[in-house]
Amino acid sequence: MKKYLAISKDIREKIFNKTYKQGMKLPYEYELCEEYKCNKQTMKKALEILVSEGLIIRRRGAGTFVKNTVNTEGTPELTYGHYIKGFTKHFTSLGEVETKVLQFNVIPSDRETADKLKIKKGDFVYCIERVRKVNGIPHVIELMYMPISVITNLRQEDVEGSIYTYIEDELGKKIQGSNQLIKAYPSNEHDQSNLGLEKNEPIVEVEKTAYLTTGVPFEYSRLRFHYKHFSFYAVVNKM
Amino acid sequence: MKKYLAISKDIREKIFNKTYKQGMKLPYEYELCEEYKCNKQTMKKALEILVSEGLIIRRRGAGTFVKNTVNTEGTPELTYGHYIKGFTKHFTSLGEVETKVLQFNVIPSDRETADKLKIKKGDFVYCIERVRKVNGIPHVIELMYMPISVITNLRQEDVEGSIYTYIEDELGKKIQGSNQLIKAYPSNEHDQSNLGLEKNEPIVEVEKTAYLTTGVPFEYSRLRFHYKHFSFYAVVNKM
DNA sequence: GAGTGGTCTAGACCACATC
DNA sequence: ATGTGGTCTAGACCACTCT
């Protein structure tokens, strides 16, 4: 285990433990270095993680403090947040994940899909449409495109389960991350019937391009969430 | 200017310049160190910024590469994104910002507002409701609460302009950041008449708690955006 | 095996808020 | 003026990818 991750984990726990309470000043950097037997830079890196998570703030000349706004009760991390591991792993803690496959075809890519996936227009892609439910409640309609040259031999049974698990465990490829554009729209009839929405109720669309550690894009998708099952929590630190 | 910011700025420009093109390998770390006459750690910090912006990826044993998904044409940064500087500064490049004040009162805080602002229920807060327009087009209805003990002597003319400018320039206080929860909802009649929405069109609500560098919360607000004028771009890197 | 980037240390000096 | 956290350097060693 990397030292800076171990340290940040320990201090994070102390914040949730209320060993370090809201608004409280943490020991000075050099004291923490002694406590954890590490160098200044390592401690800095550990604390930077907690800053980016919105748990602490650091002020030159003053010290390091637990933020007043920390929610030490239930973590609000049921939110969309860092959804990179895929739907299954993200929601599996909440209940039973079910998948209904609406479409599973191989088609020639159109201009936009080809652009996003950095392939040639007309190159074949999987076109997958699925409804994902948690405890029987529909959360999202996923419309995904994946190049058959990258994600090889995808089968119906993989599509009914976790595609990300297939990519990582079966194909042995590593996922790097994704770019996501989040917007809201009025729902259409397709959304309404599949997600159980009223006519005036909206969806939140996430347009997502995901790629492997090699830099190769492997997924372009449009995820249409029931508005009640989408929230995004962001911590914004100035500069 | 900090060295690592200067370096990351220069390399960022080279990516947008196409001096470094999509998918291209950057020089090795030690070569970049020589080029910019800096230490390994400083270069690492500079490149980390570009990683977090989604412009490059680094792979141990392989090298540093410009991402294939970089949009080197128009920056998509008209998005909500890092909206910390406040609406005025964020949108001022897009056109003329107008503000219509619907409410400007001092009221006793309710339980929820007091909790968020870490004050006692009943402590007085400014209650401000404004419609913000860009080039005459309404973008958002802002409903804001600020403790009168923190944001002192706010006047009608400040509320008609930029409150953030008042806080920083007149009061000389520094803004640290904010926590934001983003969700979509069907619009109500108030939204429809003020934002020019049809009955079936939604809004995106941002629930925001902002605080000063001292850790003191100074703003709790609910921003209701016209759905066409809200988008959020996120780069998610695994782990 | 060669060559990448990642982690960690030790120490000098700087910028900033107020102990 | 003091004492915080921030930046920068120099160098050792480790982990991973690609032949």
Side-chain angles (χ1 to χ4, degrees), chain A:
Chain A
M1 174 68 109
K2 287 164 205 160
K3 206 167 187 176
Y4 69 86
L5 287 178
I7 295 170
S8 62
K9 187 182 170 196
D10 193 73
I11 297 179
R12 187 186 300 107
E13 273 165 17
K14 283 189 179 169
I15 291 170
F16 285 114
N17 274 351
K18 306 214 181 189
T19 307
Y20 298 135
K21 295 196 180 68
Q22 286 195 6
M24 193 173 147
K25 192 170 167 312
L26 262 63
Y28 306 126
E29 199 174 76
Y30 73 89
E31 289 178 335
L32 288 170
C33 288
E34 282 175 14
E35 184 180 342
Y36 289 98
K37 305 204 187 314
C38 76
N39 180 272
K40 189 178 173 178
Q41 295 288 4
T42 304
M43 184 52 67
K44 222 175 267 297
K45 192 154 185 180
L47 293 174
E48 251 167 35
I49 292 171
L50 302 178
V51 169
S52 75
E53 290 172 354
L55 295 178
I56 61 174
I57 57 171
R58 314 198 71 194
R59 293 164 47 213
R60 191 193 310 223
T64 301
F65 302 85
V66 180
K67 282 223 287 210
N68 285 311
T69 41
V70 171
N71 181 3
T72 48
E73 308 307 329
T75 43
E77 294 311 317
L78 320 177
T79 67
Y80 179 75
H82 293 78
Y83 176 89
I84 180 60
K85 316 124 202 168
F87 188 90
T88 312
K89 286 187 187 166
H90 192 72
F91 282 102
T92 212
S93 58
L94 282 185
E96 196 194 350
V97 172
E98 260 177 279
T99 301
K100 188 168 106 191
V101 178
L102 303 183
Q103 279 190 66
F104 177 42
N105 301 307
V106 176
I107 59 168
S109 57
D110 62 18
R111 162 73 35 228
E112 189 191 4
T113 306
D115 277 355
K116 299 284 185 179
L117 292 173
K118 305 289 167 190
I119 56 178
K120 290 203 202 79
K121 177 171 180 295
D123 285 358
F124 286 109
V125 291
Y126 292 109
C127 172
I128 302 158
E129 192 178 24
R130 314 189 286 183
V131 177
R132 305 290 227 130
K133 300 180 185 184
V134 180
N135 294 329
I137 299 163
H139 279 229
V140 60
I141 305 171
E142 298 178 343
L143 181 60
M144 312 169 67
Y145 300 95
M146 296 179 164
I148 61 168
S149 57
V150 180
I151 307 302
T152 49
N153 300 319
L154 199 60
R155 289 162 308 177
Q156 179 81 22
E157 62 202 79
D158 303 315
V159 174
E160 284 167 359
S162 169
I163 296 178
Y164 275 37
T165 302
Y166 171 74
I167 293 171
E168 298 202 301
D169 297 350
E170 302 290 320
L171 292 180
K173 304 202 174 192
K174 291 192 189 158
I175 294 165
Q176 167 70 28
S178 61
N179 296 354
Q180 308 183 348
L181 187 67
I182 300 169
K183 296 199 64 169
Y185 293 99
S187 57
N188 58 36
E189 283 182 14
H190 186 62
D191 301 324
Q192 286 152 22
S193 66
N194 282 290
L195 296 174
L197 286 160
E198 301 294 322
K199 275 195 170 31
N200 68 318
E201 291 179 326
I203 58 92
V204 177
E205 186 185 84
V206 177
E207 184 187 339
K208 174 175 158 189
T209 309
Y211 35 89
L212 303 172
T213 50
T214 54
V216 175
F218 72 93
E219 175 195 349
Y220 172 63
S221 56
R222 292 173 176 272
L223 316 176
R224 294 173 77 89
F225 282 85
H226 190 300
Y227 77 104
K228 285 185 181 166
H229 300 121
F230 182 95
S231 66
F232 190 94
Y233 186 72
V235 175
V236 180
N237 288 305
K238 199 164 187 179
M239 258 237 4

Side-chain angles (χ1 to χ4, degrees), chain B residues 218-231:
Chain B
F218 72 92
E219 176 196 348
Y220 171 64
S221 55
R222 292 173 177 272
L223 315 176
R224 294 173 78 88
F225 282 84
H226 190 300
Y227 77 104
K228 286 185 181 166
H229 299 121
F230 182 95
S231 66

